[in-house]
Amino acid sequence: MRKLFKGKISLFAFSCIVSVATLLLYNIPFFSYVAANTNEGIGGQLFLLASLVVVMLALNFMMTYLVVYLLRMVGRTLLAILSVINATAVYFIMTYSVMIDATTIENVFNTRYSEASGFFSWSLWAFILICGVLPALYCLLRPVVIGKAKRLGVCCGSSLAIVLIVGLMNIGQTLWITQHDTELGGLLQPWSYLVNTCRVLSSQHDEQVEEIKLPDGTITDNDKTVVVLMIGESARKANFQLYGYQRATNPLLSKREGLKVYQATSCATYTTAGTKAILEPKNSDDLYELLPNYAFRMGVDVSWRTSNWGEPPIHIDEYLTNEQLGERYPGENVYFDAILMKGLRERIESSQKNKVLIVLHTSTSHGPKYADKYPKAFEVFKPVANSVEEGEKNVGMLVNAYDNTIRYTDFLVDSLISTLRAMEGWKSAMLFVSDHGESLGENKMFMHGLPMKLAPKEQYEIPFLVWTSEGFRDYKPDSELPAVIEQHYVFHSVLNLLSIQSPAYNQEFDIFQRKGAVSPK
């Protein structure tokens, strides 16, 4: 070990060592994917793998040489930081079968410490220590002789020439690489997170523009009306008894009269985009005025209560986190989503307006520690895995913990309906829609966040549940709706429920009959 950190070496030798170490320590998943997904014969497969090895070694060598030559100690510090990040990225790739694409980077930016801490484990720290910290110390402490500028030109020029030559030799693989560019880019370290971080930061900069205002609307009646939209977190359709799941995960809602159950899919597989899709008038990369913002501007009393994060911009007067609700109601456990409904009836009935919209943004089924998301009284399915990492070794225990979160969701939604049903003099409605689904070990995938074109159905098939008070609105016949609806049906259906007449409303994406319309016999 001492020999590794003693004695000066040339920048050429240092760059070679860093390049080889980067290949061996951080890119085995990349080469495993190539070997498993190429259609070439054994000879062609070996040639492709050898070509990629050469290209990767040359690029990493060139970048190491450039960074250290130009930035000296600062450059070596950057290499040390990249070593730790590389180790962390590879651990998550191997443990959770994720890819470090733009979606994953966006999730990282929108993750709180309380969520991230759920991934901490001794195996993670051990992996980072061995594969990240030790290489980082080598980058920082090994004496390096920088050399002359002429040597820099020769080394970097030779590296580029090698990359070009090998690239031309594999020109026939262009189509295959294009077809698998997302997967390849998401597994290649350190380029995966460096490139995608730049993409996300550029995208976030573009989104700082003001949201696109929708045309003004008007409220057409004075009926006392309340709509509660509950946004579920990571709740997948496959584990809801209401959708045919064999376990009793919905013992209360399965007996609830008047509950409408729709087949639905999400527009994304992560919270930020999924929540945006629920609140926007149409599925778009643009930032249109969102449902709570628009309803608030039209004169509706709007309240947002959340135990989650990663939400699009919300511009209303009353935005309350679970911690803030805990301050209002001391003694309540702020880590369970029941806190979001504390005092809800009193809040609605005390409103000075006739139209009220409440949004409850839950976190009930978010991993990796599903078992921490519900009170122990709801731990019906046992034994449970305490984390996704533990659940990899026993998927059944992971599913038990996840199913308990769905059973807790069942209680929350049913309690909400009971609250609304008991409110005399109010027309009321409840919509429960999940932001996305969840993988629980199918094809060795866990949690969520894969790009939509690669995501399994477990990550985008979601529950979409609706209840209304008697005589409030008539549902459209199923024949007038597609077999599977999407999240943006929420926007137009809620405008109908709140009697907001607006050019932004699209009847095609409304699950209800228009007010005053007669249902066909």
Side-chain angles (χ1 to χ4, degrees):
M1 183 65 72
R2 290 183 178 179
K3 291 182 180 180
L4 289 174
F5 295 93
K6 283 190 174 183
K8 293 183 178 181
I9 61 172
S10 67
L11 180 54
F12 176 88
F14 177 81
S15 299
C16 286
I17 292 171
V18 171
S19 180
V20 172
T22 300
L23 176 73
L24 296 177
L25 291 176
Y26 311 127
N27 285 288
I28 297 303
F30 173 86
F31 288 103
S32 296
Y33 179 87
V34 174
N37 289 275
T38 179
N39 294 322
E40 297 287 333
I42 186 66
Q45 186 179 96
L46 290 174
F47 182 76
L48 176 60
L49 288 169
S51 299
L52 290 171
V53 167
V54 171
V55 168
M56 189 177 297
L57 288 173
L59 285 176
N60 287 335
F61 169 84
M62 181 179 68
M63 294 308 300
T64 301
Y65 206 111
L66 275 172
V67 166
V68 176
Y69 185 90
L70 296 175
L71 301 178
R72 308 301 165 101
M73 197 60 200
V74 174
R76 295 172 67 176
T77 302
L78 289 175
L79 291 176
I81 294 172
L82 291 180
S83 296
V84 176
I85 299 175
N86 285 339
T88 306
V90 172
Y91 177 86
F92 278 88
I93 288 172
M94 295 191 301
T95 303
Y96 300 107
S97 300
V98 301
M99 287 183 295
I100 314 300
D101 59 3
T103 297
T104 303
I105 296 299
E106 192 169 41
N107 287 337
V108 171
F109 286 168
N110 286 309
T111 298
R112 294 178 179 176
Y113 174 81
S114 58
E115 178 187 348
S117 62
F119 293 101
F120 296 164
S121 65
W122 288 112
S123 58
L124 169 63
W125 298 127
F127 192 91
I128 292 175
L129 174 63
I130 295 171
C131 296
V133 175
L134 292 181
L137 291 174
Y138 181 83
C139 291
L140 290 171
L141 301 179
R142 186 67 192 261
V144 177
V145 178
I146 298 299
K148 298 181 179 179
K150 182 178 179 181
R151 186 70 178 268
L152 169 68
V154 171
C155 289
C156 292
S158 300
S159 298
L160 279 176
I162 291 171
V163 171
L164 290 174
I165 291 171
V166 175
L168 290 173
M169 293 171 64
N170 287 271
I171 195 70
Q173 296 290 349
T174 302
L175 178 59
W176 182 85
I177 292 173
T178 301
Q179 291 173 335
H180 297 267
D181 57 352
T182 300
E183 299 91 327
L184 296 174
L187 296 172
L188 186 61
Q189 311 309 324
W191 308 104
S192 62
Y193 58 84
L194 291 177
V195 172
N196 284 305
T197 295
C198 292
R199 290 175 60 194
V200 170
L201 291 176
S202 175
S203 176
Q204 289 181 346
H205 178 268
D206 293 340
E207 290 178 0
Q208 294 305 310
V209 297
E210 186 177 356
E211 61 186 5
I212 301 170
K213 287 288 191 291
L214 298 175
D216 291 348
T218 56
I219 297 174
T220 59
D221 64 46
N222 293 317
D223 296 341
K224 294 174 73 67
T225 305
V226 56
V227 178
V228 181
L229 168 62
M230 181 181 286
I231 301 175
E233 171 60 61
S234 304
R236 72 184 206 174
K237 183 190 81 172
N239 290 55
F240 270 63
Q241 181 184 355
L242 293 168
Y243 288 94
Y245 190 48
Q246 295 305 303
R247 277 184 161 178
T249 53
N250 302 128
L252 301 175
L253 291 178
S254 62
K255 300 175 183 176
R256 173 64 70 174
E257 293 184 3
L259 186 69
K260 187 75 171 177
V261 179
Y262 288 97
Q263 301 290 336
T265 58
S266 64
C267 298
T269 63
Y270 60 103
T271 298
T272 304
T275 305
K276 174 177 175 287
I278 292 171
L279 302 175
E280 64 186 354
K282 61 181 178 179
N283 194 24
S284 171
D285 291 332
D286 294 322
L287 181 60
Y288 284 93
E289 193 170 13
L290 302 174
L291 175 62
N293 303 342
Y294 183 63
F296 178 74
R297 189 163 68 84
M298 294 304 102
V300 176
D301 180 8
V302 182
S303 176
W304 184 286
R305 296 181 169 202
T306 180
S307 62
N308 214 321
W309 47 90
E311 299 149 346
I314 305 299
H315 306 305
I316 59 176
D317 285 346
E318 186 172 281
Y319 179 100
L320 297 170
T321 65
N322 54 322
E323 290 89 354
Q324 291 170 323
L325 288 166
E327 294 174 1
R328 291 190 177 191
Y329 306 102
E332 296 294 323
N333 191 321
V334 300
Y335 299 108
F336 299 138
D337 282 329
I339 187 67
L340 302 182
M341 296 192 294
K342 188 67 178 176
L344 190 60
R345 178 173 180 175
E346 292 80 2
R347 165 63 182 85
I348 296 168
E349 293 181 331
S350 65
S351 176
Q352 300 300 305
K353 296 184 177 181
N354 289 332
K355 305 296 180 183
V356 179
L357 172 63
I358 307 289
V359 182
L360 308 177
H361 191 192
T362 69
S363 60
T364 311
S365 296
H366 200 297
K369 294 188 175 183
Y370 304 116
D372 290 346
K373 292 295 186 176
Y374 54 83
K376 289 302 178 183
F378 290 87
E379 194 163 276
V380 175
F381 307 108
K382 302 177 183 180
V384 300
N386 292 316
S387 67
V388 170
E389 187 176 26
E390 181 182 333
E392 279 191 289
K393 303 169 186 175
N394 192 320
V395 173
M397 291 171 59
L398 185 70
V399 173
N400 285 345
Y402 182 84
D403 284 350
N404 289 330
T405 70
I406 303 301
R407 196 172 173 105
Y408 184 48
T409 297
D410 176 74
F411 165 77
L412 295 175
V413 176
D414 187 74
S415 299
L416 176 57
I417 294 173
S418 294
T419 297
L420 296 176
R421 191 170 183 272
M423 292 174 53
E424 296 182 3
W426 286 80
K427 294 181 177 180
S428 56
M430 185 285 310
L431 295 87
F432 174 88
V433 186
S434 186
D435 58 355
H436 52 75
E438 191 85 336
S439 285
L440 296 174
E442 298 85 5
N443 298 316
K444 297 183 179 179
M445 294 183 183
F446 295 89
M447 298 188 66
H448 55 267
L450 284 178
M452 282 296 288
K453 71 175 184 178
L454 301 174
K457 64 180 182 179
E458 290 83 8
Q459 292 192 25
Y460 61 78
E461 290 188 346
I462 57 169
F464 193 124
L465 314 177
V466 184
W467 174 91
T468 66
S469 58
E470 187 174 355
F472 185 8
R473 286 284 190 274
D474 291 327
Y475 293 99
K476 280 183 181 177
D478 292 340
S479 60
E480 295 184 16
L481 293 172
V484 180
I485 64 175
E486 295 183 353
Q487 290 167 318
H488 50 274
Y489 276 72
V490 170
F491 183 96
H492 304 281
S493 300
V494 171
L495 288 194
N496 185 341
L497 292 169
L498 293 173
S499 300
I500 296 177
Q501 183 176 316
S502 166
Y505 168 77
N506 187 338
Q507 185 187 8
E508 182 180 350
F509 298 112
D510 186 356
I511 61 175
F512 298 103
Q513 297 281 355
R514 283 184 300 175
K515 184 180 178 183
V518 179
S519 299
K521 299 294 184 183

